[in-house]
């Protein structure tokens, strides 16, 4: 059955990149935004670099490689934010790594862009729920993966459309930056989003926790602990 | 060798309690602050309730019980914030759960309070570093545990005085509240605090990750991934 999934690398304090860069695109690589982004995704780059170099399996690096391979393999289609799609258009080149249809949530209509290797970019202007439905219809029973960025992922979580969230929790505190789970989730007073961890894989570079998203629930008063230690 | 340690239960978005309550102390239990606090510490309460009820070991609840018991056993002395000490003074009663000397960081001088079972509260007015040194001198080679609250823990981390941090990451998104790792860590541009995960224990109620704190480090540009997918 098709699930709507998302995964993101985050620092221990919840950032997926440094503070948003407002300068010229050509200067992004030198920005604090990119410094944070490359720190939290270092485990991915290390795994890819290692795989190419060694050509054989084993150990932690291979665990990371397997998580990455599995993530790509599980997705039958992608939903992506406009900023990420624009930013990737040139570096991803003629044969982007998705090898599946990608639905880009945008305000500007544009013809579908077909790339080699099975990747296409379809620009959806009637909202994220529509993009997810279009992705579902071509996913062939595989998952619809929310490819990011963080703002889109948060929007999908907030709208109750996300079935699974995998966080790659990286052992670094960035202190500031773009936070995945920030305050605009529209939770009411004493309301929370409950999840169930369904898989944990750990290496020295990241703790990978996959959660099923149960949805919104009221925080019921549970004060059994308020008197602990009282004789 | 004595280490300075801390542990805290946090939501997936990094909160250890709901939004700070500003009303009368008697109304705290009904506040959003307490609702968040009791949600993220539910695994502790469940473990204690279960242990009392069952009187035998086994399964996840026992894992939680063992983590709690181990945390208490490893501490030879505690350092505590004034707000937490004041809040606990009545509910902890004549025989508080610490069974070791507690050094309370405060601005108000006060005589040492000696309780039954080995717990005492010594009020330290010359800062957190002094409180840690006083705790170290009586810890008998065991650890100095930063008992909280979050503000004190953050202060100790910021000052470079923390050796180990254990987070109990609870599968809930609170959306708002008192955040353990917030922006006042005084990190410079492209600077981070690096950690090394040294133990991970997982149950359905929480993922317990213990980190060694390596300290501040510059985020070096690592852009090997910027061209990934380019042929």
């Amino acid at each position: 059955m098709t699930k709507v999934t998302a995964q993101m690398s985050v620092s221990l304090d919840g950032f997926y990149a440094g503070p948003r860069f407002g300068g010229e695109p050509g200067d992004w690589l030198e920005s604090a935004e990119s410094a944070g982004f490359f720190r939290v995704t270092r485990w991915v780059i290390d795994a890819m670099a290692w795989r190419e170099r060694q050509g054989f399996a084993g150990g932690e690096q291979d665990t990371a490689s397997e998580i990455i391979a599995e993530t790509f393999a599980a997705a039958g289609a992608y939903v992506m934010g406009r900023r990420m799609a624009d930013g990737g258009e040139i570096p991803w080149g003629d044969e982007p790594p998705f090898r599946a249809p990608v639905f880009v949530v945008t305000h500007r209509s544009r013809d579908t862009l077909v790339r080699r290797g099975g990747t296409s970019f379809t620009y959806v202007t009637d909202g994220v729920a529509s993009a997810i439905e279009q992705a579902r219809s071509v996913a062939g029973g595989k998952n619809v993966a929310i490819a990011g960025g963080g703002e889109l992922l948060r929007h999908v979580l907030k709208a109750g459309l996300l079935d699974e969230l995998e966080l790659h929790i990286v052992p670094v505190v960035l202190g500031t930056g773009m936070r995945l789970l920030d305050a605009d989730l529209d939770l009411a007073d004493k309301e929370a989003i409950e999840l169930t961890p369904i898989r944990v894989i750990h290496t020295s570079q990241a703790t990978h926790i996959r959660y099923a998203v149960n949805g919104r629930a009221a925080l019921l008063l549970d004060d059994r602990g308020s008197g602990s230690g009282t004789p």
Side-chain angles (χ1 to χ4, degrees), chain A:
Chain A
M1 198 197 70
T2 296
K3 287 174 291 197
V4 178
T5 64
Q7 51 87 33
M8 188 73 91
S9 298
V10 290
S11 66
L12 195 51
D13 48 351
F15 299 109
Y16 60 94
R20 185 180 279 253
F21 176 64
E24 294 299 314
D27 297 332
W28 182 79
L29 217 51
E30 299 295 329
S31 71
E33 179 186 326
S34 93
F37 172 76
F38 285 119
R39 176 62 192 91
V40 299
T41 56
R42 186 184 296 166
W43 69 276
V44 178
I45 307 307
D46 282 352
M48 287 177 169
W50 178 90
R51 184 138 230 171
E52 274 172 32
R53 216 164 49 234
Q54 306 292 334
F56 60 80
E60 284 200 356
Q61 296 284 20
D62 191 56
T63 301
S65 302
E66 279 168 16
I67 289 171
I68 298 161
E70 175 200 64
T71 299
F72 277 113
Y78 292 86
V79 173
M80 189 181 288
R82 199 267 312 159
R83 189 174 185 248
M84 182 171 167
D86 282 359
E89 190 164 337
I90 291 167
W92 290 328
D94 288 339
E95 197 168 337
F98 305 101
R99 301 177 185 276
V102 178
F103 295 85
V104 180
V105 181
T106 179
H107 292 293
R108 291 173 304 193
S109 172
R110 181 174 162 184
D111 288 342
T112 295
L113 186 66
V114 179
R115 297 297 204 187
R116 285 210 296 266
T119 303
S120 61
F121 295 91
T122 301
Y123 300 86
V124 178
T125 56
D126 56 346
V128 64
S130 166
I132 288 173
E133 281 322 301
Q134 291 182 53
R136 192 190 297 272
S137 70
V138 300
K142 291 172 125 186
N143 292 339
V144 171
I146 308 300
E151 217 170 310
L152 179 71
L153 196 167
R154 195 160 57 237
H155 186 88
V156 173
L157 176 64
K158 183 166 145 178
L161 298 171
L162 193 65
D163 298 312
E164 281 183 14
L165 173 63
E166 181 156 17
L167 293 183
H168 315 290
I169 301 176
V170 174
V172 67
V173 173
L174 294 181
T176 180
M178 290 156 73
R179 203 181 311 253
L180 181 59
L181 300 168
D182 77 359
D184 79 354
L185 286 165
D186 265 355
L187 289 163
D189 192 45
K190 300 190 193 179
E191 185 190 40
I193 298 172
E194 293 283 348
L195 306 95
T196 302
I198 53 179
R199 191 185 74 170
V200 179
I201 295 177
H202 176 70
T203 77
S204 61
Q205 289 194 302
T207 306
H208 310 271
I209 315 181
R210 187 182 294 168
Y211 295 96
V213 181
N214 307 332
R216 289 165 192 253
L219 289 172
L220 301 174
L221 180 64
D222 175 3
D223 66 344
R224 287 170 293 162
S226 63
S228 68
T230 310

